[in-house]
């Protein structure tokens, strides 16, 4: 089993600027087959936007995804973990902050992202969450 978050994280992080429209962000999520993008401004993390944020904070309120920006609806209180963190540290951060995704940082730079599914597949590959996370997406 992996020991550090660096062994589990995805090194591909999709970032967008706060002024990016939700439609643009949604297209990135669709095209890259991810459920989130990290919002950055001048190289610093400003938030995380998930597919659920788009639905709950814009579409459900009859917002216009061509006019509403990522910066207006993203989760601004971002919990991160350093690259050298242990899996236990990541699980603790997710649990105490009630988040499903953690950007992984090296100083101020985002170097990866780890999801609850990534951790489930690593810690208990026989869990239902691991199975669901490993399955191909519904299309």
């Amino acid at each position: 089993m992996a020991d550090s978050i660096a062994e589990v994280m995805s090194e591909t992080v999709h970032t967008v600027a706060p002024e990016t429209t939700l439609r643009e962000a949604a297209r990135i999520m669709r095209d890259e087959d991810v459920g989130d993008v990290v919002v950055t401004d001048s190289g610093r993390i400003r938030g995380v936007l998930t597919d659920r944020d788009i639905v709950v904070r814009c579409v459900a309120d009859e917002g216009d995804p061509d006019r509403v920006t990522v910066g207006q609806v993203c989760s601004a209180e971002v919990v991160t973990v350093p690259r050298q963190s242990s899996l236990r540290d990541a699980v603790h951060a997710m649990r105490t902050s009630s988040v499903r995704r953690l950007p992984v940082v090296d100083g101020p730079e985002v170097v990866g992202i780890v999801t609850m599914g990534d951790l489930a597949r690593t810690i208990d590959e026989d869990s239902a969450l691991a199975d669901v996370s490993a399955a191909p997406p519904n299309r």
Side-chain angles (χ1 to χ4, degrees), residues 18-31:
E19 61 273 7
T20 304
T21 67
L22 292 184
R23 185 168 314 277
E24 291 173 81
R27 286 183 176 141
I28 291 168
M29 289 182 202
R30 177 199 62 202
D31 295 347

Side-chain angles (χ1 to χ4, degrees), residues 123-136:
I123 294 169
D124 183 2
E125 63 187 30
D126 294 324
S127 71
L129 181 55
D131 289 345
V132 170
S133 298

Side-chain angles (χ1 to χ4, degrees), residues 60-78:
D61 287 336
E62 298 181 21
D64 181 354
D66 287 315
R67 297 180 55 114
V68 177
T69 67
V70 167
Q72 292 173 290
V73 300
C74 69
S75 299
E77 291 186 27
V78 181

